[in-house]
Amino acid sequence: SAENVQSEASPDNLAYVIYTSGSNGQPKGVMVQHRSAANLAAALHDEIYSGQGSALKVGLNAPLAFDASVKQLLTLLYGHSIYVLSEELRLDVEQLLSYLDQQALDALDCTPSQLKLLLAAGFDSQSRRVPKIMLIGGEALDESSWSMLGENQRTRFHNVYGPTECTVDATWIAVQDAPERPTIGR
């Protein structure tokens, strides 16, 4: 048929199931509804990506099996481009820095431990192009990293936190807005 398929999906329908070990180490499937994914997409758009341009280059740094990848995939709803980073690229900090520079990505997510490796390898060198936006999550940011990121003027660092059951990120804060000490935000 040449007709558009009618969608019968509602906000209550299941969007995806993702598996997590949870707090007790036992694998469990977390069911996420469309409404939850749409809420995350809108919050990220309104609070983090808004005002940054209409067609951002967003790096998908988390493996697709992890919920952190969902927040980057959702940026497609707002017309942004996704650059999927391979496992090989994610594990080689020098190669990753080169890629970030060549592709001129606008946004990237990573863990604090990966960020420390990037910073130690020269991420913030004035000769490099760095993302305007960094979403840091998956682990707690230590006080010295928090202070250093809070002074950065080239990249807006956002500390994000949330259990899988809350659709990836439930809280966030721009590190530069709270330079005193680490916090999970609001």
Side-chain angles (χ1 to χ4, degrees), residues 45-182:
H45 174 73
D46 294 346
E47 300 293 337
I48 294 177
Y49 297 117
S50 180
Q52 299 296 321
S54 60
L56 298 176
K57 294 177 172 183
V58 179
L60 196 159
N61 190 22
L64 293 175
F66 289 100
D67 69 342
S69 66
V70 171
K71 70 179 160 222
Q72 307 318 13
L73 292 170
L74 290 173
T75 63
L76 292 169
L77 296 172
Y78 290 93
H80 304 306
S81 300
I82 297 290
Y83 288 69
V84 180
L85 282 63
S86 68
E87 183 175 1
E88 177 185 327
L89 188 59
R90 289 192 311 267
L91 295 176
D92 184 331
V93 71
E94 293 297 332
Q95 192 178 1
L96 179 54
L97 283 173
S98 253
Y99 183 83
L100 293 174
D101 195 36
Q102 291 166 2
Q103 299 301 323
L105 296 184
D106 296 304
L108 181 71
D109 69 297
C110 70
T111 62
S113 28
Q114 186 183 36
L115 179 60
K116 281 184 177 185
L117 293 173
L118 288 167
L119 290 167
F123 169 81
D124 204 25
S125 163
Q126 291 299 319
S127 63
R128 292 192 185 276
R129 284 187 267 186
V130 295
K132 296 185 279 191
I133 302 166
M134 293 281 291
L135 301 166
I136 314 300
E139 305 161 3
L141 264 167
D142 63 77
E143 286 192 38
S144 64
S145 296
W146 188 276
S147 296
M148 182 176 48
L149 299 178
E151 295 171 8
N152 189 295
Q153 299 301 311
R154 296 178 65 203
T155 299
R156 188 98 166 133
F157 292 94
H158 298 272
N159 189 37
V160 294
Y161 167 79
T164 302
E165 294 82 355
C166 292
T167 315
V168 191
D169 297 328
T171 67
W172 74 275
I173 190 162
V175 175
Q176 288 93 336
D177 292 346
E180 312 81 46
R181 61 178 169 69

Side-chain angles (χ1 to χ4, degrees), residues 13-19 29-34 36-37 40 66-68 70-71 74 164 166-168:
N13 288 129
L14 189 63
Y16 63 89
V17 175
I18 197 156
Y19 287 84
V30 175
M31 299 183 293
V32 177
Q33 297 173 318
H34 281 279
S36 298
L40 176 63
F66 289 100
D67 69 342
V70 171
K71 70 179 160 222
L74 290 173
T164 302
C166 292
T167 315
V168 191

